[in-house]
Amino acid sequence: MKIISTPLSHDEVDQLGDFLDALPSPDAMNVEQLDGFFCALLVGPDLVMASEYWPHVVGDAGENAAPVFDSQAEAEVIMSLVVRHWNAINATLRANDVYSPIFVENDNNVALGNDWASGFMHGVSLRRSSWQPLLDDESHASAILPMMALAHENDPDPELRFASPTPEKREQMLLMMTAGIVQLYRYFAPARNREAAAGQPFTRDQPKVGRNELCLCGSGKKYKHCCLARLH
């Protein structure tokens, strides 16, 4: 029997992904977005209950909205997968281990990371005011920059759109997002006031970005005129 925080197998990830892809709402998340969304909620400063976040997953934010299950048995299976995935991410972070995000490869066997970053930034948007201290902290805000860049790579608004990175730069940004999960979890540990995270100092796994240095997103612009300006 699998315990409640056992990580999902590849087949179970596919099963959850198939369920999400079949939901009728065009705003429903896919499994990669769900993973990024959960990571943002778990590393952030506030506790977000399932009753609040679940409507965002299935594409309808109404209080009484619910996913359409074919049967009670399917509902139990899917919700079990969702709870286990949430708990597995949380258990990994609480153990001070590195969590490996779900990056789904496209038809060319390339992981782009855009959906994961989009899901992460959606999670941030649920508690924007609580995240603001991090966004205003020039010493630590770089941890969220790759999420911002890939989330807005294809933004329809030219003012928000980030330039597409080279394949090499994209691979670097995926690694930076993975490192950023740990950094953000540690940064917000005092705010969450969790006993397991208490007393863990924030350590930088990537260099601080100076205001006049080139932005990490790869735009070629100075940090102060690019991602730093977008944070405010």
Side-chain angles (χ1 to χ4, degrees):
M1 178 182 295
K2 293 182 174 66
I3 60 174
I4 195 66
S5 61
T6 302
L8 302 187
S9 66
H10 290 299
D11 288 343
E12 288 172 328
V13 170
D14 290 342
Q15 182 181 7
L16 180 56
D18 290 343
F19 166 77
L20 294 171
D21 292 342
L23 290 172
S25 173
D27 297 323
M29 296 183 180
N30 59 37
V31 73
E32 183 175 341
Q33 290 171 318
L34 173 71
D35 189 61
F37 184 58
F38 277 8
C39 282
L41 299 183
L42 285 165
V43 305
D46 297 336
L47 174 65
V48 180
M49 303 298 292
S51 58
E52 178 180 356
Y53 72 65
W54 183 244
H56 293 268
V57 173
V58 298
D60 189 341
E63 291 184 1
N64 298 319
V68 178
F69 295 110
D70 291 337
S71 65
Q72 180 63 30
E74 183 191 45
E76 292 175 357
V77 169
I78 294 300
M79 295 312 298
S80 174
L81 295 178
V82 170
V83 171
R84 270 182 49 213
H85 189 52
W86 172 280
N87 288 346
I89 298 172
N90 192 36
T92 299
L93 296 173
R94 288 173 66 89
N96 202 31
D97 290 335
V98 175
Y99 176 71
S100 297
I102 296 176
F103 296 134
V104 178
E105 295 182 348
N106 61 14
D107 293 338
N108 297 317
N109 298 318
V110 176
L112 300 178
N114 300 106
D115 284 348
W116 193 94
S118 175
F120 189 95
M121 295 309 298
H122 191 142
V124 172
S125 72
L126 292 190
R127 292 292 187 275
R128 175 76 185 198
S129 61
S130 296
W131 278 77
Q132 199 61 48
L134 177 278
L135 302 178
D136 292 336
D137 188 341
E138 295 183 18
S139 297
H140 297 139
S142 59
I144 201 174
L145 295 188
M147 290 78 152
M148 291 181 56
L150 291 183
H152 295 288
E153 178 183 351
N154 303 306
D155 199 292
D157 186 345
E159 296 297 321
L160 297 177
R161 191 182 308 145
F162 281 79
S164 295
T166 63
E168 294 76 13
K169 182 65 176 179
R170 185 182 300 277
E171 184 175 352
Q172 179 186 8
M173 292 174 74
L174 296 185
L175 293 173
M176 290 167 61
M177 287 201 298
T178 301
I181 296 170
V182 177
Q183 294 171 350
L184 293 167
Y185 185 78
R186 292 174 178 172
Y187 181 89
F188 284 121
R192 290 190 308 269
N193 194 29
R194 294 182 178 172
E195 182 177 351
Q200 295 182 3
F202 183 94
T203 57
R204 182 176 299 281
D205 296 321
Q206 58 192 45
K208 176 181 177 180
V209 184
R211 294 174 60 86
N212 292 309
E213 295 178 11
L214 292 179
C215 190
L216 290 174
C217 75
S219 66
K221 300 178 181 178
K222 290 184 178 181
Y223 177 43
K224 64 182 180 181
H225 294 312
C226 189
C227 288
L228 179 61
R230 296 170 188 255
L231 290 172
H232 303 291

